[in-house]
Amino acid sequence: MRNYLIAGNWKMNKTPSEAAALAKEIVPMVKDADYRVMVAPSFVCIPAVIDAVKGSNIIVAAQNMANTEAGAFTGETSVLMLKDLGVEMVILGHSERRHIYGETNEIINEKVKLALANGITPVLCIGELLEEREAGKAEAVCYEQLEKGLAGVSEADLDNVVIAYEPVWAIGTGKTATPDDADAIHAACRKKIAELYSDAAAEKIVIQYGGSMNPGNVKNLMAMENIDGGLIGGASLKADSFGELANFNK
Ligand code: PGA
């Protein structure tokens, strides 16, 4: 079975002290989870959260990073800084980064390669806009984001990559893709990975679903063959609800 990953993307919510308190509340709730559990606080909250989850099974991730290692890039955060803090994963190419901050597939690809080179697992986010879905282009958009986002990544390195399919129209809107619709795109992405790499790589890669996942819909989504976890925004901001999500199979 694939190594499922249930992840909370806290986005620009919680101050460092609030983030530490939430992390401490989550620790006992997810300690017996059967699958990997990750939280992604904002940069300034990372040290407090790492401290709060020390000795637990929680993986701490960043929500973004720069596409270069160091230098005159005012306001940016380097992979070396994240590594030094003990960050293990990084969300890259989230739709809010693509659509609000204009990140291109090329920039995201640089970040993916930089994360891998520094031993940090990238969670590469892909997903179509509503108008792209309505125009029948959902698969094509995801294929392009996958192909360009993974350009130059070897099959060995792909073992350390997680994909998150997040249809943009489902993020923070309360509209979830139906399990069948989500699974169809996940299956298509797996086919694309098989084309780019191999059948074995396609079978192994973890593809999370994201977009209004919550305790009420997680079971049906996770029951689908090609869905291997969730990247959860709104429903990850309360310990109870995130605890339920992390224990969805119990
Ligand atoms: P949401 O966000 O669960 O609030 O829809 C998911 C995400 O953007 O990662």
Side-chain angles (χ1 to χ4, degrees):
M1 204 184 66
R2 295 180 207 111
N3 198 0
Y4 289 170
L5 177 65
I6 302 292
N9 174 10
W10 294 354
K11 306 193 180 182
M12 198 177 73
N13 295 293
K14 308 289 174 191
T15 62
S17 43
E18 289 167 350
L22 175 59
K24 276 195 190 122
E25 251 191 288
I26 290 175
V27 168
M29 291 181 178
V30 305
K31 74 174 195 332
D32 298 319
D34 292 329
Y35 308 114
R36 289 183 296 168
V37 178
M38 175 197 113
V39 296
S42 73
F43 289 132
V44 293
C45 297
I46 289 174
V49 170
I50 287 190
D51 197 42
V53 305
K54 207 164 270 160
S56 79
N57 56 330
I58 297 177
I59 299 164
V60 179
Q63 299 173 14
N64 183 29
M65 59 177 228
N67 58 340
T68 35
E69 259 180 15
F73 301 101
T74 302
E76 288 293 314
T77 298
S78 157
V79 66
L80 302 179
M81 300 167 189
L82 300 178
K83 194 163 131 180
D84 187 67
L85 287 177
V87 166
E88 293 174 76
M89 294 184 138
V90 60
I91 299 171
L92 295 175
H94 189 279
S95 68
E96 286 146 20
R97 301 299 319 168
R98 292 177 187 267
H99 299 296
I100 304 174
Y101 299 102
E103 286 191 19
T104 61
N105 284 317
E106 290 67 29
I107 291 174
I108 295 159
N109 175 247
E110 287 166 5
K111 296 182 179 190
V112 166
K113 287 188 288 194
L114 203 50
L116 286 167
N118 283 282
I120 295 183
T121 296
V123 176
L124 171 63
C125 300
I126 60 169
E128 80 286 358
L129 297 164
L130 183 58
E131 51 271 34
E132 291 166 336
R133 169 157 287 255
E134 285 171 344
K137 291 186 186 150
E139 281 184 13
V141 168
C142 292
Y143 286 169
E144 186 182 7
Q145 291 175 344
L146 268 182
E147 191 159 4
K148 293 190 171 163
L150 294 173
V153 172
S154 69
E155 183 158 342
D157 275 345
L158 195 69
D159 271 350
N160 295 318
V161 174
V162 171
I163 304 295
Y165 168 60
E166 301 203 299
V168 180
W169 47 271
I171 296 178
T173 58
K175 282 188 210 157
T176 324
T178 64
D180 286 327
D181 282 349
D183 195 62
I185 298 280
H186 284 232
C189 291
R190 232 177 264 295
K191 210 177 91 209
K192 186 73 188 169
I193 297 287
E195 256 171 61
L196 295 170
Y197 294 93
S198 67
D199 287 347
E203 183 44 42
K204 212 163 30 170
I205 194 156
V206 169
I207 309 180
Q208 301 178 290
Y209 169 78
S212 299
M213 192 184 252
N214 60 48
N217 59 27
V218 62
K219 278 197 176 68
N220 288 340
L221 286 161
M222 288 302 296
M224 304 308 293
E225 191 189 329
N226 292 291
I227 300 184
D228 312 318
L231 183 54
I232 303 140
S236 73
L237 292 171
K238 291 224 160 66
D240 286 355
S241 119
F242 189 65
E244 270 188 67
L245 285 155
N247 294 293
F248 72 89
N249 59 320
K250 297 186 179 161

